[in-house]
Amino acid sequence: MTGPGLIEDYALLSDLRTAALVGKDGSLDWLCLPRFDAPACFARLLGGEGRWAIAPTEPVREVRRRYRENSLVLETEFRTDSGVLQLIDFMPPHEVNQHDEPCVVRIVEGVSGEVGFQLDWVLRFDYGDSVPWVRRVGETDPVLDEYVLGIAGPHTVVLRGEELPTRVDGERAHRHTGTISAGQRMSWVLQWSSDPDQLPAPMDPEQELLECEEFWRNWSAKIVYDGPYPKAVRRSLATLKALIYAPTGGIVAAPTTSLPEAVPGNRNWDYRYCWLRDATLVLLALDDLGCTSEAEAWRRWLVRSVAGDPADLQIMYGVGGERHLIEWEADWLRGYRDTGPVRVGNAAYRQRQLDVYGEVMDALHLARERGLVESEDSWAVQRGMLSHLERIWRQPDRGLWEVRGPDRHFTHSQVMVWVAFDRAVRGAEEDGLPGPVEHWRQLRDEVREEVLRRAWNPEIRAFTQFYGGTSLDASVLLLPAVGFLSGRDDRMRSTVDAIQRELQHGVLVDRYTTTDEPSELDGLSGREGSFLACSFWMVDALVYCGRRGEAERMFAELVEMANDVGLYSEEFDAESGCFTGNFPQAFSHLALVNSAAVLYGGRTREQKSRRNGTAADTSAAQSRWEKM
């Protein structure tokens, strides 16, 4: 094995605390233990040595993959001249038993004939930098137990199975070769341990498989969606569920770091953290389609993470609410297909991005509309945020795309400032929440007037990326979705036309223009792929503009761009026809689900709605808050 496969060749496994990526070649090339943002023990994806591969030893004529129903049980079928071998991969989900140690189960099944196969197990902790001490252990007390144990510093992994791999002479690797006949099954279980003196007990792989399927079957039964493309919508929701860190309810943007947005280029970022701007979309996607408990958990994570001095509000946090996400480079890794650097942490957490205030206010307002009762602490946090926003909203920022160039007055940021004050006004008017509503209304109107005056460029007849500029940005497609401007407004229609001319290629939409040379806007080089979420935003904008037929055709084509198991990366490179960026990307799947809601039913972001279909009892709410 010389290197990782294409990004679209991978499938996702998850136990709701961490995730693994398995390629079409049967190689598990990425796994962080014990949680999403922990150091990887298999990092072949980024040029490291660590991997766990299981595949036929003879030429493979065809590979077929699928998830069982709407679960995260992955089946990979290898067809050879000698027969068919099936590989079953999964991670037992730990939503309730959160103290159970994470593990990966791999089962080889003979479907037909007799197929030779090989298992390669190369364990490397700390993103490939730590070679563990690996030894075979046989115990007889209290029961017979044989396993391979890997230890390096604080890291401990146990591998059990019917046929354990043995050390390869001259290599720091372990291997097993054998054959599998029709009807025969063999299994291996990798378990992580926080204490090398307290190893996890053996488990029954077949029982774990049954329980894993039952978990996902029961969870999928909650989904309420009867529109077109149900398989794509359900797979997207299952992927979002898989990216939730169950102990806190936070959802990572992606389970990977440093998969490049441009090849060559240096647009490589760590996405294993929770972005506040995902909050609204997460609530819409999960709650509107039946996943209420996940929406409630996300809101709890959100309120807990942003609590404190509003001046300290960050755009992103760790899965447990951690604030310091120091960025550094793992310089011993070449990067995906030799495209470095490999970054761990994300320096953008220190950026000022004004849009997050609007995202948080919008998310918590929508939570109230969906029937989640507002708490005293939550509203106090929101009022504190508004007071701070009032002092800073006129300052430039780094914008939605976290540019590493100069601060500017980005149009999307200022629109989301409007959203923050607008949702505060609506909270007072619709929910009876206390606050200086007239003052908020005045600020809201002032921001709106400024955006319409300074962001609109009459010469190019479009809202531009930032005040006084001429460049376009796909983020302005969100203006109708957040309720800032009707999609039927001539200015909005003209902006959509301009973005289609300048940023759209087929059904793909770039977030903004990039070139091979270092950009003044973001200080980075490399022409990146088209941002898939922006393509779905165009679908929404077309609906709002009254161009539904065009939107439906575009949505249908975007659905077909998922990989063979229904997953999306961050971006798509039209020239190479390949995925780029971190994978799978929550933002892409969130955008797909919300476009399905806009097109085919379900409450959307700009709608005023209540779960029970009636207006809020503001008199009762006001009475309750007056007693505080």
Side-chain angles (χ1 to χ4, degrees):
M1 296 187 178
T2 57
L6 298 173
I7 293 173
E8 56 266 30
D9 288 343
Y10 286 93
L12 174 73
L13 310 178
S14 170
D15 68 350
L16 310 183
R17 290 180 300 177
T18 189
L21 294 184
V22 181
K24 280 186 176 181
D25 58 359
S27 184
L28 197 161
D29 289 345
W30 182 252
L31 174 64
C32 299
L33 293 173
R35 61 184 223 174
F36 289 108
D37 57 351
C41 64
F42 297 130
R44 177 174 178 248
L45 184 68
L46 297 179
E49 291 184 324
R51 69 184 187 276
W52 183 9
I54 302 177
T57 52
E58 59 188 279
V60 175
R61 292 190 287 106
E62 184 183 10
V63 178
R64 298 178 182 177
R65 296 191 301 178
R66 70 181 184 99
Y67 285 113
R68 288 187 177 179
E69 298 179 341
N70 202 46
S71 75
L72 260 75
V73 176
L74 176 70
E75 294 180 345
T76 304
E77 187 178 88
F78 298 98
R79 293 180 171 268
T80 73
D81 290 336
S82 300
V84 178
L85 177 154
Q86 181 170 258
L87 179 60
I88 303 169
D89 291 319
F90 66 97
M91 298 181 72
H94 295 294
E95 186 169 47
V96 177
N97 300 320
Q98 295 173 4
H99 297 295
D100 288 352
E101 308 289 27
C103 69
V104 179
V105 180
R106 312 197 75 183
I107 300 173
V108 173
E109 179 181 28
V111 178
S112 67
E114 184 176 86
V115 181
F117 73 94
Q118 179 170 300
L119 181 154
D120 284 299
W121 196 69
V122 183
L123 189 66
R124 298 288 187 270
F125 294 117
D126 291 319
Y127 304 102
D129 195 41
S130 296
V131 179
W133 176 37
V134 179
R135 58 193 175 97
R136 189 163 179 155
V137 179
E139 296 182 351
T140 58
D141 185 24
V143 295
L144 179 63
D145 185 16
E146 193 169 14
Y147 52 87
V148 176
L149 178 66
I151 299 177
H155 310 290
T156 302
V157 160
V158 176
L159 179 67
R160 293 184 172 95
E162 285 106 329
E163 297 288 345
L164 292 174
T166 56
R167 188 181 304 275
V168 180
D169 291 339
E171 299 181 30
R172 293 181 293 190
H174 285 67
R175 178 173 298 155
H176 169 73
T177 57
T179 59
I180 193 86
S181 302
Q184 184 182 2
R185 289 164 76 98
M186 301 175 67
S187 60
W188 293 267
V189 179
L190 179 150
Q191 296 167 279
W192 179 85
S193 176
S194 57
D195 184 351
D197 295 324
Q198 296 290 329
L199 299 181
M203 59 173 52
D204 181 348
E206 299 294 343
Q207 182 62 33
E208 293 293 333
L209 176 59
L210 292 174
E211 292 179 4
C212 182
E213 288 187 275
E214 182 181 13
F215 170 87
W216 285 105
R217 188 181 304 113
N218 292 338
W219 179 82
S220 297
K222 300 189 302 181
I223 297 175
V224 180
Y225 179 76
D226 58 2
Y229 311 104
K231 186 176 180 180
V233 172
R234 287 176 173 270
R235 176 49 53 193
S236 287
L237 288 169
T239 303
L240 295 173
K241 174 69 173 177
L243 298 180
I244 292 175
Y245 183 64
T248 64
I251 181 169
V252 295
T256 58
T257 178
S258 301
L259 292 180
E261 298 169 3
V263 180
N266 58 354
R267 301 174 184 272
N268 301 1
W269 315 113
D270 193 346
Y271 275 14
R272 298 171 297 162
Y273 307 109
C274 307
W275 268 255
L276 296 189
R277 68 170 49 92
D278 293 355
T280 300
L281 293 175
V282 169
L283 279 164
L284 282 169
L286 294 174
D287 184 68
D288 284 354
L289 296 178
C291 306
T292 305
S293 62
E294 288 79 9
E296 291 175 340
W298 169 251
R299 190 186 71 163
R300 288 194 299 272
W301 177 90
L302 178 65
V303 173
R304 184 170 62 250
S305 296
V306 303
D309 189 338
D312 296 332
L313 183 72
Q314 297 180 186
I315 66 166
M316 57 195 282
Y317 297 86
V319 294
E322 295 86 358
R323 292 173 175 261
H324 295 101
L325 312 177
I326 306 301
E327 183 177 305
W328 55 277
E329 294 183 8
D331 55 10
W332 59 87
L333 291 174
R334 303 189 309 274
Y336 173 79
R337 302 210 158 192
D338 296 325
T339 303
V342 172
R343 293 186 171 101
V344 177
N346 198 312
Y349 82 94
R350 290 193 179 277
Q351 288 186 357
R352 179 173 62 246
Q353 296 178 25
L354 297 177
D355 67 294
V356 298
Y357 294 90
E359 296 290 0
V360 172
M361 291 297 298
D362 194 23
L364 296 176
H365 176 75
L366 284 165
R368 293 191 297 270
E369 288 201 329
R370 271 49 179 176
L372 302 180
V373 178
E374 186 67 85
S375 70
E376 297 178 17
D377 290 342
S378 172
W379 184 242
V381 168
Q382 293 170 71
R383 289 190 62 174
M385 288 171 48
L386 290 167
S387 296
H388 181 65
L389 182 59
E390 181 181 348
R391 294 190 291 271
I392 67 169
W393 74 268
R394 292 179 178 84
Q395 299 179 20
D397 72 341
R398 296 295 179 92
L400 167 71
W401 305 125
E402 301 170 3
V403 300
R404 301 201 175 189
D407 288 4
R408 301 179 188 271
H409 289 96
F410 287 97
T411 299
H412 175 265
S413 294
Q414 295 301 314
V415 167
M416 295 310 296
V417 170
W418 174 88
V419 168
F421 291 119
D422 177 73
R423 297 331 185 239
V425 171
R426 290 175 60 180
E429 293 178 344
E430 300 171 14
D431 297 295
L433 301 176
V437 63
E438 291 302 327
H439 181 58
W440 290 337
R441 185 179 290 109
Q442 179 183 353
L443 286 168
R444 177 189 67 180
D445 295 344
E446 181 181 350
V447 175
R448 176 181 171 83
E449 185 278 330
E450 180 178 282
V451 171
L452 293 176
R453 174 171 49 86
R454 299 185 64 187
W456 172 256
N457 186 318
E459 295 183 4
I460 64 175
R461 294 194 53 75
F463 289 104
T464 56
Q465 185 175 48
F466 49 81
Y467 288 174
T470 58
S471 56
L472 299 176
D473 192 310
S475 63
V476 301
L477 293 171
L478 295 171
L479 268 59
V482 300
F484 181 84
L485 195 66
S486 168
R488 306 280 180 153
D489 187 287
D490 288 341
R491 290 167 293 186
M492 197 64 231
R493 286 176 165 172
S494 179
T495 298
V496 169
D497 290 339
I499 290 175
Q500 286 188 311
R501 289 193 303 269
E502 298 295 327
L503 299 180
Q504 186 168 338
H505 321 281
V507 297
L508 295 169
V509 178
D510 299 342
R511 51 182 178 172
Y512 53 86
T513 300
T514 58
T515 65
D516 294 328
E517 301 300 322
S519 166
E520 179 185 357
L521 175 70
D522 57 24
L524 301 169
S525 62
R527 189 186 302 274
E528 68 178 19
S530 297
F531 207 74
L532 286 166
C534 295
S535 304
F536 287 109
W537 293 349
M538 177 61 79
V539 170
D540 303 347
L542 290 171
V543 175
Y544 292 129
C545 290
R547 298 160 62 178
R548 182 180 180 87
E550 187 177 347
E552 288 184 331
R553 291 190 294 272
M554 185 174 180
F555 184 77
E557 289 192 48
L558 289 169
V559 167
E560 292 299 318
M561 295 182 72
N563 76 352
D564 60 320
V565 289
L567 302 180
Y568 292 90
S569 185
E570 180 183 15
E571 300 182 358
F572 189 92
D573 183 352
E575 290 188 10
S576 66
C578 296
F579 282 167
T580 59
N582 285 304
F583 172 87
Q585 179 81 358
F587 219 34
S588 300
H589 287 278
L590 287 166
L592 181 150
V593 171
N594 284 289
S595 289
V598 170
L599 280 167
Y600 304 116
R603 290 180 293 273
T604 53
R605 187 171 183 171
E606 86 289 356
Q607 291 176 325
K608 298 179 181 179
S609 58
R610 299 286 158 178
R611 185 177 297 281
N612 60 7
T614 62
D617 183 355
T618 56
S619 61
Q622 186 64 49
S623 176
R624 173 171 61 85
W625 286 97
E626 286 174 351
K627 294 177 181 178
M628 289 171 46

